[in-house]
Amino acid sequence: MGDCRAVVEAGLLLMLAPLVLMLFFNDDLALDHASEAVTLPDASGAPTSNAEGCTDGPDPELDMERNTVIDPGSELDFPLLPTPAAQPTSCCPPAVFVTLLLTLSDLLSGLASGMTVKFFAIFFLEQCRLRPATVAAVAAAAPCGVAFAAAAAQRIAARVGRVEVSICTRLFDVGLLSSMAFISTARAPAMLTVHLLRTALANSTRPLMRSVLMEVVPKQYRGKVNAFESITMFSWSGSAALGGVLIERLGFQATFLVTAAIKLAACVPVVVLCVTLRRLGLSGARDWRDGRAARR
């Protein structure tokens, strides 16, 4: 018990460093109109205002023809979502529709992840017979893999599209998690390799999807949209109890298959989102290539 108390106290002390750094944040340096939502025309085809007292107009920092941020020194000029020439008539505004789709996908993903993520350490300790130090090392290596995968996903997304990359990584996540149900627990190195690769891919496109959401939601509504994150966190925590019941009755690896099936269902809203954005002309992959070619 004394050893555990020392670990907790050390962790609390380490948390002080980022908290102190947050005291130096300066809101005056935050983005202004450059961080606003893209212009989505209303039913009459007229541009809509994204914020009170602010109408959409030309921004000297943006190349409105290609809708990309002008930064010649940047290796990665990410396109804003291009403004569509026309918007299909719909009873549901695009911002609301995109929010609902991503919230549903995150809700299902959180439900699935909560069933297994909290039990991976027990699985490696009891089923794979790994030492506690090895399990801790794996947990420490996982965020590093996520960081590398996120950087790679960002570059790939600039060429083929953010939602498209997210769909691919989610499908790889489902496949790798399903394979963990059939790998023998005696093959610990193979199990750990698949687990680290799956973790990296599963979390690599979260920033990309958040950027898609923020680009269609006006700034004054982003606080309300972010409040939906609490629903996702609830599903992630609440499903741990269900995961514990399934592990007791079916075992770890059978629960992996159940989790993979729910994760596959979570891909459906993202596929619908991809099709919807393409219909609105909001993919952006072609615009990135055209913008890069024009600057060469």
Side-chain angles (χ1 to χ4, degrees), residues 31 83 90 98 111 131 179-180 192-193 224 246 288 291-292:
L31 295 175
T83 302
S90 174
V98 172
L111 177 65
R131 298 172 53 198
S179 68
M180 292 181 67
L192 291 178
T193 301
K224 297 179 181 179
L246 290 177
W288 183 89
R292 294 289 290 179

Side-chain angles (χ1 to χ4, degrees), residues 66-146:
R66 300 186 185 91
N67 210 9
T68 57
V69 178
I70 297 177
D71 185 6
S74 174
E75 291 294 330
L76 181 63
D77 295 332
F78 235 132
L80 296 173
L81 291 176
T83 302
Q87 176 183 327
T89 303
S90 174
C91 60
C92 184
V96 175
F97 188 63
V98 172
T99 301
L100 291 177
L101 285 176
L102 291 182
T103 300
L104 177 60
S105 178
D106 289 344
L107 186 66
L108 292 174
S109 296
L111 177 65
S113 298
M115 293 171 58
T116 54
V117 168
K118 295 188 176 183
F119 298 101
F120 273 127
I122 300 175
F123 171 71
F124 291 132
L125 286 170
E126 295 184 354
Q127 302 296 317
C128 298
R129 306 295 181 182
L130 296 178
R131 298 172 53 198
T134 303
V135 176
V138 171
C144 298
V146 172

Side-chain angles (χ1 to χ4, degrees), residues 243-258:
V245 173
L246 290 177
I247 289 173
E248 287 182 353
R249 297 187 176 183
L250 304 177
F252 282 98
Q253 291 177 292
T255 304
F256 292 165
L257 291 177
V258 176

